[in-house]
């Protein structure tokens, strides 16, 4: 049953800092060679265009990712924050690759440069292979224990109110606020394992999830609310997903069918083998959505308008909403009513789709939100 939920709706976009294009394999996977036909390198000029288009389209924020093969999010954000005046930046960082006090100093500088338009998306890692390629040899649960310490030190150092801290991974003695005039960046955090959930319930402001059928998301929200309540806290919730929307339902599904047809079977098999090796519980949940299903577009529809086809070839967010503009807007509103306030969207390619969805989808979402708020006042 959908609960009444009328908190403000946050609609964000994604910055493809490892490349972009019209194919499902164009963004979200490490670069392994030359660009395919129709793909675009993440040049500064191209990323500038996406950021400017995102602000003009009306998106609230843009996620700047990090992973092997992606450009450095700190440098990208420092440059591109100067290109716009309203758009916020959700910068992704990995504890273990940097120290919490130093991260606080950098975040404070970015708050100064951007006039407090920075939020932080904290991720603990994806696969053992990738973490070790970066020099990080901690195992899964240890990485989350380190993240908990990282966030505890970061928040204490930022405020200057923390006592000296001597943990397993970090130490801190600072009692001086990092920047009294800078707003503390909101912390976004995700992870589906028990270790990750505990970190999110204790330290995050917004708990992020990869999109799953509504019943599964409702169950996770309820569980996380209970965990946070035990800490005397409350959480916002966010979803990361892709969008394939068109004027009609048939047009949208024809488009994703064409995207599937262009992918060789061996590419799907290779990607599935690679993702099966991840320790990520969230990745495993995404992969399970496609298991036992066919390879036609409609066979991968796991709930109304929710398509798991992206997960055949792409790690991370593997689901998309597919349908007419009105259908996609209604599905987003249904998740909003379950308790999701933040939606981080993608489209291929990200430049054209920021403009396209800003013109066709965002006005519908704003209209639905305004109608719901008005109904609440009248009720």
């Amino acid at each position: 049953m959908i609960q009444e939920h009328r908190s403000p709706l946050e609609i964000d976009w994604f910055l493809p800092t490892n490349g972009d294009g019209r194919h499902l394999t164009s963004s979200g996977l490490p670069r392994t060679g030359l660009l395919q036909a129709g793909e675009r390198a993440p040049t500064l000029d191209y990323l500038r265009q996406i950021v400017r288009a995102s602000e003009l389209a009306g998106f609230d924020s843009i996620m700047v990712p990090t992973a092997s093969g992606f450009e450095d999010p700190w440098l990208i954000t420092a440059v591109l924050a100067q290109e716009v005046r309203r758009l916020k930046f959700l910068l992704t960082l990995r504890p273990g690759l940097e120290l919490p006090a130093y991260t606080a100093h950098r975040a404070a500088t970015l708050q100064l440069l951007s006039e407090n338009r920075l939020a932080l998306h904290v991720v603990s890692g994806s696969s053992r292979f990738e973490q070790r390629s970066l020099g990080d040899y901690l195992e899964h649960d240890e990485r989350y224990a380190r993240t908990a310490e990282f966030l505890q030190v970061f928040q204490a150092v930022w405020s200057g109110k923390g006592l000296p801290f001597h943990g397993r991974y970090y130490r801190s003695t600072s009692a001086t606020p990092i920047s009294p005039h800078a707003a503390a960046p909101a912390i976004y955090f995700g992870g589906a394992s028990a270790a990750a959930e505990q970190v999110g319930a204790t330290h995050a402001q917004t708990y992020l999830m990869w999109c799953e059928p509504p019943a599964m998301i409702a169950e996770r929200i309820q569980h996380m609310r209970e965990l946070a309540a035990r800490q005397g806290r409350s959480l916002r919730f966010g979803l990361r997903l892709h969008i394939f929307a068109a004027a009609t339902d048939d047009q949208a599904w024809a488009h994703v069918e064409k995207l599937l047809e262009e992918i060789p079977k061996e590419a799907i098999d290779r990607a599935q083998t690679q993702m099966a090796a991840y320790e990520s519980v969230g990745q495993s949940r995404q992969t399970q959505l496609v298991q036992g299903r066919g390879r036609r577009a409609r066979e991968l529809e796991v709930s109304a308008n929710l398509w798991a086809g992206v997960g055949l070839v792409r790690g991370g967010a593997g689901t998309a909403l597919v349908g007419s503009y009105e259908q996609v807007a209604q599905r987003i509103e249904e998740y909003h009513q379950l308790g999701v306030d933040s939606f981080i969207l993608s489209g291929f390619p990200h430049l054209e789709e920021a403009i396209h969805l800003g013109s066709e989808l965002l006005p519908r979402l704003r209209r639905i939100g305004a109608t719901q708020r008005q109904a609440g006042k009248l009720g």
Side-chain angles (χ1 to χ4, degrees):
M1 178 182 230
I2 295 177
Q3 303 174 16
E4 284 297 319
H5 184 81
R6 295 194 178 97
S7 296
L9 191 64
E10 174 191 330
I11 306 295
D12 303 333
W13 198 237
F14 181 84
L15 191 65
T17 60
N18 68 323
D20 199 12
R22 298 183 179 278
H23 313 293
L24 289 181
T25 54
S26 294
S27 175
L29 296 171
R31 288 289 168 202
T32 57
L34 297 175
L35 295 175
Q36 299 179 31
E39 291 188 334
R40 304 166 187 175
T43 63
L44 180 57
D45 183 59
Y46 183 59
L47 297 179
R48 276 179 176 143
Q49 291 181 61
I50 296 174
V51 166
R52 290 170 179 167
S54 300
E55 176 160 279
L56 289 171
F59 288 98
D60 296 305
S61 182
I62 191 163
M63 174 182 274
V64 186
T66 187
S68 296
F70 289 70
E71 302 301 333
D72 181 80
W74 291 97
L75 296 176
I76 291 292
T77 301
V79 172
L80 295 182
Q82 309 308 304
E83 299 293 325
V84 288
R85 290 293 172 263
R86 181 193 57 78
L87 190 72
K88 297 178 182 178
F89 286 78
L90 179 54
L91 184 154
T92 305
L93 65 90
R94 290 190 180 186
L97 304 183
E98 49 192 273
L99 296 172
Y102 183 56
T103 299
H105 278 284
R106 286 202 288 181
T109 300
L110 275 183
Q111 288 291 55
L112 174 66
L113 296 177
S114 68
E115 298 181 320
N116 292 322
R117 287 183 286 128
L118 177 70
L120 297 177
H121 173 216
V122 179
V123 296
S124 298
S126 56
S127 69
R128 181 183 295 111
F129 172 79
E130 182 177 3
Q131 291 301 118
R132 289 181 177 178
S133 74
L134 297 170
D136 180 10
Y137 282 79
L138 291 186
E139 296 297 338
H140 179 276
D141 284 6
E142 291 181 290
R143 293 200 298 268
Y144 281 101
R146 180 179 60 195
T147 296
E149 282 193 13
F150 179 97
L151 289 171
Q152 184 176 350
V153 175
F154 175 91
Q155 290 162 339
V157 167
W158 188 282
S159 68
K161 297 178 181 178
L163 298 174
F165 180 85
H166 296 275
R168 180 177 180 183
Y169 306 100
Y170 302 107
R171 293 185 179 185
S172 174
T173 59
S174 175
T176 303
I178 287 293
S179 178
H181 304 296
I187 302 298
Y188 289 63
F189 177 86
S193 68
E197 290 174 341
Q198 193 59 52
V199 176
T202 305
H203 295 287
Q205 278 83 54
T206 299
Y207 180 75
L208 288 179
M209 302 167 285
W210 289 324
C211 194
E212 297 171 346
M216 296 173 68
I217 292 297
E219 181 180 354
R220 293 186 67 189
I221 287 175
Q222 182 61 33
H223 175 62
M224 289 303 299
R225 281 176 171 161
E226 292 171 356
L227 286 181
R230 293 173 197 167
Q231 306 288 333
R233 306 182 71 244
S234 60
L235 288 171
R236 294 176 75 251
F237 295 92
L239 283 184
R240 171 86 179 93
L241 70 159
H242 309 281
I243 301 291
F244 298 100
T248 69
D249 184 61
D250 288 343
Q251 289 174 349
W253 284 102
H255 176 63
V256 296
E257 185 71 65
K258 183 178 179 181
L259 291 176
L260 281 182
E261 290 173 353
E262 69 185 20
I263 304 173
K265 180 180 182 300
E266 56 270 22
I268 294 176
D269 293 340
R270 184 169 60 250
Q272 290 293 296
T273 299
Q274 178 184 359
M275 288 182 282
Y278 286 14
E279 309 96 78
S280 166
V281 175
Q283 182 63 68
S284 178
R285 290 172 68 103
Q286 292 284 285
T287 302
Q288 288 172 10
L289 291 176
V290 303
Q291 291 178 349
R293 295 180 175 270
R295 291 296 180 262
R296 302 297 300 271
R298 285 285 190 176
E299 293 172 334
L300 292 160
E301 186 179 14
V302 295
S303 68
N305 299 104
L306 184 63
W307 186 60
V310 181
L312 289 174
V313 290
R314 184 191 189 282
T319 50
L321 287 176
V322 179
S324 69
Y325 304 123
E326 291 293 341
Q327 288 173 322
V328 170
Q330 288 294 336
R331 296 293 89 77
I332 289 175
E333 176 57 24
E334 287 171 8
Y335 283 111
H336 184 213
Q337 292 299 321
L338 290 176
V340 179
D341 293 328
S342 178
F343 294 83
I344 303 170
L345 310 180
S346 287
F348 304 98
H350 288 77
L351 174 59
E352 287 90 335
E353 285 302 294
I355 298 168
H356 170 212
L357 296 177
S359 173
E360 298 291 349
L361 180 62
L362 263 61
R364 288 171 166 83
L365 288 172
R366 305 302 186 198
R367 185 180 70 243
I368 289 173
T371 301
Q372 293 283 354
R373 288 191 296 274
Q374 184 63 28
K377 292 176 183 178
L378 294 175

